[in-house]
Amino acid sequence: MNRHASVLTRGGEAPATAGRPTALRGARHAVREPIPTYLSYVGGKDIDAEKYVYTVTTRSILDDVFESLTLKRRLEQGRVRPEDAGDLVVGRVALADQETVEEASRAAAEAFREWSRWPQEKRMELGAVLRRRIVEGCDDMVDVLIAEGNPRALAEWQVAGLLETFSEETLSWVGELMHREFEHGGRRLLVRRRPDGVVCVNPPQNAPASSALFGITALMAGNTVVVRAPRSAPFGVMYALREFVVPALEEIGAPPGVLNVVCGRPGPMMRSWLESPYINDILYIGSTENGLTFQEECVRHGKKPVLELAGNDCVVVWRDADLDLAVEALTECFYGSGQICMVPNQVLAHPAIADELLERLSAAVAKLRPGYPDEEGVLLSPVLRSERFFTVVKDALDKGASLVHGARRLEADGSPSDTGLFLEPTVLRVDGMEKCREIEAVRRETFFPLLPVIVPEADTDEALLERFLDYVNSNPYGLRNSVWAGDEQVLGRFEREIDNGGLLKINDSHIGFLPYLPTHGGTGLTGGVFGEANYPMLRTSHLQGVSIARGIRPHQAVFGAYDAVRAARAGATD
């Protein structure tokens, strides 16, 4: 095949199919026959490949998982022709070879010199243009995410987060932090952030498209970017970057090579990035164990690691909390069946309201249902590797926890089954704080629809408040924390004293996005040793100070401050 094949844009629309959203039939940058196809995008050109990764519809997987995954495997092996796949396939993405992966890094390095010279305000135009395009195409984006397996509520939540990431408020505030100027003693002083260089983005399997768009905000700092579309879910990443970001870059006249997108196996590509002389930073989103090991590799190879790892978020529900609203926020644990790092993972409930909270939570959770991702009201996603879920639940029960609700496999229609692909939303009660972290469901992120509610021993409110604060701050993870309470003094203590994590929510949605505030980032096992709130523009740039003097003698510059102090002292003595 031609390694620099041009993208086909034929005149008519492809035939409508049950599994293929309208958005794909109108995609400008996809080869649309026999099925929508995205090629590697390197240096402003499309590069074809000998192999492709196919995305089959989640509906087909739920109807017959064996048939669907067998079809996917045979397509990728070349044993089934794409035109014979019918409407079970959403689309395909070219699988980049090693030469293409290395070419992407070189193209980004070549583009950096020109792109980094652009004025900051000109680069920031990308954010406004991209937001406009997301606003115009948000329904199409939701359709693509649904086709790739996200329930509608989860897809819409991801798009809502993108709209806040690229909001005028957030971009203007972060832009201000990139450049400040002062006048002092006949000098013009600048404190500014300079781009690191080439930034590689490794999105996760659970929310790859929105994570890729989050990562490309590093472009506005003057970096160039290489994105790996994960083999498990590459199509949404390609769609988001090719249909939104590439046209936005073209609109502002960015040089080719500023953005490069390739699909490939994680191990070889990450190794290539580590060893490449062109790469400066790597944004890694994945498990804590793999991420911390990768952090060490980055440091060893002289790369800056920017980590987004697991979360084990804590929600505190105080004795005077609005329980209706608190329960509504706690059910956010089950978005995508808990397979999202920033959902609630554990609850600290004041013993005075614990029984009522659990009763209300159990009733609310019972209404959550599985189903096909395009159906309204579906919140749960399939969990393909569910055996460990039951091991974690058994560990909790063996160590004294009690089952409040759930812990069964479900079919798409909600009926219990020994072979269902869904897990019933599960709530556990854990009595006592002293040994609660001996329970794996409390100690670790589980990535399942599982929420332990910890009820401490009865004590004075003053003592309980101290224990709650210590517990939250001692969480080895540190993504998000939230608290529900009415007492202003209690809320004030949490506001002033919680220093763990990248985000603290008070009487608010745990997973909701807001302008100005970070959507990602955290401390400890979540963000690694360099962890903090993650604004990629800031995390992929570095501070630099500049002094521009006018008529200042070097001697004065060296001793000016000390001379001024001595003169002031002499004047005081006189």
mmCIF file of all heavy atoms in Angstrom, residues 10-17 20 24-26 32-36:
data_model
loop_
_atom_site.group_PDB
_atom_site.id
_atom_site.type_symbol
_atom_site.label_atom_id
_atom_site.label_comp_id
_atom_site.label_asym_id
_atom_site.label_seq_id
_atom_site.Cartn_x
_atom_site.Cartn_y
_atom_site.Cartn_z
ATOM 1 N N ARG A 10 -15.357 10.626 -0.870
ATOM 2 C CA ARG A 10 -16.255 10.412 -1.991
ATOM 3 C C ARG A 10 -17.521 11.244 -1.814
ATOM 4 O O ARG A 10 -17.885 11.626 -0.716
ATOM 5 C CB ARG A 10 -16.592 8.926 -2.122
ATOM 6 C CG ARG A 10 -15.341 8.080 -2.366
ATOM 7 C CD ARG A 10 -15.688 6.602 -2.436
ATOM 8 N NE ARG A 10 -14.471 5.795 -2.584
ATOM 9 C CZ ARG A 10 -13.941 5.476 -3.744
ATOM 10 N NH1 ARG A 10 -14.497 5.905 -4.862
ATOM 11 N NH2 ARG A 10 -12.851 4.748 -3.795
ATOM 12 N N GLY A 11 -18.222 11.406 -2.922
ATOM 13 C CA GLY A 11 -19.349 12.323 -2.917
ATOM 14 C C GLY A 11 -20.510 11.897 -2.048
ATOM 15 O O GLY A 11 -20.957 12.634 -1.193
ATOM 16 N N GLY A 12 -21.058 10.690 -2.251
ATOM 17 C CA GLY A 12 -22.277 10.313 -1.553
ATOM 18 C C GLY A 12 -22.008 9.755 -0.184
ATOM 19 O O GLY A 12 -20.917 9.344 0.147
ATOM 20 N N GLU A 13 -23.062 9.697 0.640
ATOM 21 C CA GLU A 13 -22.949 9.107 1.962
ATOM 22 C C GLU A 13 -22.951 7.596 1.848
ATOM 23 O O GLU A 13 -23.595 7.017 0.978
ATOM 24 C CB GLU A 13 -24.117 9.538 2.847
ATOM 25 C CG GLU A 13 -23.988 10.944 3.390
ATOM 26 C CD GLU A 13 -24.965 11.164 4.521
ATOM 27 O OE1 GLU A 13 -25.863 10.345 4.697
ATOM 28 O OE2 GLU A 13 -24.805 12.169 5.216
ATOM 29 N N ALA A 14 -22.249 6.974 2.775
ATOM 30 C CA ALA A 14 -22.281 5.520 2.842
ATOM 31 C C ALA A 14 -23.653 5.079 3.327
ATOM 32 O O ALA A 14 -24.360 5.831 3.995
ATOM 33 C CB ALA A 14 -21.199 5.009 3.794
ATOM 34 N N PRO A 15 -24.079 3.883 3.010
ATOM 35 C CA PRO A 15 -25.393 3.421 3.450
ATOM 36 C C PRO A 15 -25.498 3.443 4.959
ATOM 37 O O PRO A 15 -24.566 3.074 5.671
ATOM 38 C CB PRO A 15 -25.458 1.982 2.905
ATOM 39 C CG PRO A 15 -24.445 1.930 1.809
ATOM 40 C CD PRO A 15 -23.384 2.885 2.183
ATOM 41 N N ALA A 16 -26.632 3.868 5.464
ATOM 42 C CA ALA A 16 -26.863 3.890 6.902
ATOM 43 C C ALA A 16 -26.959 2.465 7.424
ATOM 44 O O ALA A 16 -27.515 1.590 6.784
ATOM 45 C CB ALA A 16 -28.154 4.649 7.219
ATOM 46 N N THR A 17 -26.367 2.248 8.609
ATOM 47 C CA THR A 17 -26.433 0.931 9.237
ATOM 48 C C THR A 17 -26.865 1.095 10.675
ATOM 49 O O THR A 17 -26.746 2.166 11.267
ATOM 50 C CB THR A 17 -25.068 0.228 9.198
ATOM 51 O OG1 THR A 17 -24.151 0.971 9.984
ATOM 52 C CG2 THR A 17 -24.548 0.100 7.781
ATOM 53 N N ARG A 20 -23.740 1.953 13.019
ATOM 54 C CA ARG A 20 -22.791 2.994 12.655
ATOM 55 C C ARG A 20 -23.451 4.360 12.767
ATOM 56 O O ARG A 20 -24.412 4.650 12.079
ATOM 57 C CB ARG A 20 -22.301 2.754 11.232
ATOM 58 C CG ARG A 20 -21.078 3.557 10.859
ATOM 59 C CD ARG A 20 -20.553 3.085 9.522
ATOM 60 N NE ARG A 20 -20.203 1.661 9.589
ATOM 61 C CZ ARG A 20 -20.162 0.876 8.519
ATOM 62 N NH1 ARG A 20 -20.452 1.349 7.339
ATOM 63 N NH2 ARG A 20 -19.837 -0.397 8.657
ATOM 64 N N LEU A 24 -20.190 9.214 11.613
ATOM 65 C CA LEU A 24 -19.118 8.574 10.872
ATOM 66 C C LEU A 24 -19.360 8.663 9.378
ATOM 67 O O LEU A 24 -18.427 8.736 8.584
ATOM 68 C CB LEU A 24 -18.987 7.111 11.296
ATOM 69 C CG LEU A 24 -18.661 6.894 12.776
ATOM 70 C CD1 LEU A 24 -18.459 5.424 13.053
ATOM 71 C CD2 LEU A 24 -17.445 7.684 13.186
ATOM 72 N N ARG A 25 -20.616 8.656 8.985
ATOM 73 C CA ARG A 25 -20.911 8.726 7.566
ATOM 74 C C ARG A 25 -20.610 10.110 7.005
ATOM 75 O O ARG A 25 -20.452 10.291 5.804
ATOM 76 C CB ARG A 25 -22.377 8.348 7.324
ATOM 77 C CG ARG A 25 -22.697 6.946 7.831
ATOM 78 C CD ARG A 25 -23.991 6.453 7.239
ATOM 79 N NE ARG A 25 -25.145 7.235 7.635
ATOM 80 C CZ ARG A 25 -25.825 7.054 8.745
ATOM 81 N NH1 ARG A 25 -25.445 6.121 9.605
ATOM 82 N NH2 ARG A 25 -26.875 7.794 9.029
ATOM 83 N N GLY A 26 -20.510 11.105 7.917
ATOM 84 C CA GLY A 26 -20.177 12.450 7.463
ATOM 85 C C GLY A 26 -18.761 12.867 7.796
ATOM 86 O O GLY A 26 -18.391 14.026 7.614
ATOM 87 N N ARG A 32 -14.131 6.024 3.781
ATOM 88 C CA ARG A 32 -15.456 5.545 4.163
ATOM 89 C C ARG A 32 -15.922 4.315 3.388
ATOM 90 O O ARG A 32 -17.082 3.936 3.478
ATOM 91 C CB ARG A 32 -16.468 6.678 4.017
ATOM 92 C CG ARG A 32 -16.323 7.720 5.103
ATOM 93 C CD ARG A 32 -17.312 8.841 4.943
ATOM 94 N NE ARG A 32 -16.860 9.758 3.883
ATOM 95 C CZ ARG A 32 -17.685 10.435 3.116
ATOM 96 N NH1 ARG A 32 -18.970 10.276 3.227
ATOM 97 N NH2 ARG A 32 -17.220 11.252 2.204
ATOM 98 N N GLU A 33 -15.070 3.704 2.597
ATOM 99 C CA GLU A 33 -15.479 2.488 1.907
ATOM 100 C C GLU A 33 -14.374 1.456 2.021
ATOM 101 O O GLU A 33 -13.196 1.784 1.789
ATOM 102 C CB GLU A 33 -15.793 2.773 0.432
ATOM 103 C CG GLU A 33 -17.053 3.587 0.245
ATOM 104 C CD GLU A 33 -17.444 3.691 -1.218
ATOM 105 O OE1 GLU A 33 -16.686 3.221 -2.097
ATOM 106 O OE2 GLU A 33 -18.501 4.249 -1.487
ATOM 107 N N PRO A 34 -14.699 0.223 2.395
ATOM 108 C CA PRO A 34 -16.038 -0.307 2.649
ATOM 109 C C PRO A 34 -16.589 0.070 4.024
ATOM 110 O O PRO A 34 -17.784 -0.030 4.267
ATOM 111 C CB PRO A 34 -15.840 -1.814 2.551
ATOM 112 C CG PRO A 34 -14.419 -2.012 2.996
ATOM 113 C CD PRO A 34 -13.668 -0.824 2.468
ATOM 114 N N ILE A 35 -15.723 0.457 4.969
ATOM 115 C CA ILE A 35 -16.162 0.946 6.278
ATOM 116 C C ILE A 35 -15.308 2.157 6.627
ATOM 117 O O ILE A 35 -14.225 2.344 6.085
ATOM 118 C CB ILE A 35 -16.022 -0.138 7.372
ATOM 119 C CG1 ILE A 35 -14.565 -0.591 7.493
ATOM 120 C CG2 ILE A 35 -16.933 -1.314 7.119
ATOM 121 C CD1 ILE A 35 -14.326 -1.556 8.628
ATOM 122 N N PRO A 36 -15.775 3.017 7.528
ATOM 123 C CA PRO A 36 -14.963 4.179 7.918
ATOM 124 C C PRO A 36 -13.591 3.754 8.417
ATOM 125 O O PRO A 36 -13.469 2.865 9.249
ATOM 126 C CB PRO A 36 -15.786 4.828 9.032
ATOM 127 C CG PRO A 36 -17.186 4.377 8.782
ATOM 128 C CD PRO A 36 -17.071 2.994 8.229
#
